[in-house]
Amino acid sequence: MEQFKTTEDLRESLKRLSKWFARPTVDGEHPTLHINPGSTNREVLNGIQRDDYIFSNCGNWILPSDDHGLSFSGHWQHLKGIHRMKSKRNPGKRVSVYWVLEKADIPEGLKFVVDPRDKKKQHYLLSATRRMHVEELRSKLEWVADRMSIIRDAQVAL
């Protein structure tokens, strides 16, 4: 087990291991689901923001798409920008960073893809690779969240 004395030590170690994906999350919110009613001003179905995934017309199914998915940062600069934005929008609340390594065991039916709209290739989406029921996607997103590491109150680390 290696102990990191600075965030630069952690960055160097992560570079050697593999790609990583991170999500800044305001204290009290879930790292992969929108459970709190006030956490978004967009439509949420079963904890999943409608804009993040392609829903079937009936709203019961998630359709596969490499252009949609849960948003993750894959680069320190992108992560710092998103963290700064969340901190400004939530004054007085701590913002922690949940992260996972690329080689982590992501549930079948999900994969990390580069956001096709990001020319710098720093923004990633956790996309659905096959059609699945909304309940199944929610369960898989909870599974991912349970395995994510956390940097509490990440302002100092970033």
Side-chain angles (χ1 to χ4, degrees):
M1 178 66 76
E2 185 176 349
Q3 182 175 354
F4 305 110
K5 293 185 172 49
T6 68
T7 55
E8 193 59 39
D9 292 345
L10 177 60
R11 287 181 193 148
E12 290 304 315
S13 182
L14 286 175
K15 282 181 191 175
R16 291 189 308 267
L17 291 175
S18 70
K19 187 99 182 98
W20 53 270
F21 306 101
R23 285 181 57 80
T25 304
V26 176
D27 275 1
E29 292 182 4
H30 193 274
T32 58
L33 297 172
H34 295 277
I35 297 173
N36 302 338
S39 69
T40 182
N41 58 356
R42 297 183 177 154
E43 185 179 2
V44 174
L45 297 171
N46 203 9
I48 302 165
Q49 190 168 262
R50 189 178 266 285
D51 291 350
D52 288 345
Y53 290 92
I54 297 180
F55 284 78
S56 64
N57 289 338
C58 66
N60 292 325
W61 297 92
I62 301 296
L63 306 177
S65 172
D66 283 347
D67 296 336
H68 295 81
L70 193 61
S71 180
F72 281 81
S73 294
H75 189 274
W76 288 105
Q77 288 305 113
H78 189 269
L79 177 59
K80 284 169 63 173
I82 299 300
H83 184 279
R84 197 172 320 134
M85 177 189 68
K86 288 217 175 211
S87 295
K88 284 182 182 177
R89 289 186 180 174
N90 298 280
K93 291 188 178 181
R94 294 186 325 167
V95 178
S96 299
V97 173
Y98 287 81
W99 62 279
V100 64
L101 293 174
E102 177 181 41
K103 295 187 192 272
D105 192 16
I106 301 300
E108 184 179 324
L110 297 177
K111 73 174 179 177
F112 284 106
V113 296
V114 175
D115 182 348
R117 297 170 297 264
D118 182 20
K119 292 178 181 157
K120 294 182 179 179
K121 299 186 182 205
Q122 297 178 346
H123 182 233
Y124 285 78
L125 302 170
L126 183 56
S127 298
T129 61
R130 63 174 176 78
R131 184 176 186 256
M132 66 181 82
H133 198 273
V134 172
E135 295 278 334
E136 182 181 358
L137 177 61
R138 179 188 172 108
S139 175
K140 289 176 187 278
L141 292 175
E142 288 173 339
W143 192 91
V144 169
D146 287 345
R147 284 149 182 83
M148 293 176 84
S149 298
I150 182 170
I151 302 171
R152 298 209 183 272
D153 197 11
Q155 180 67 35
V156 176
L158 296 175

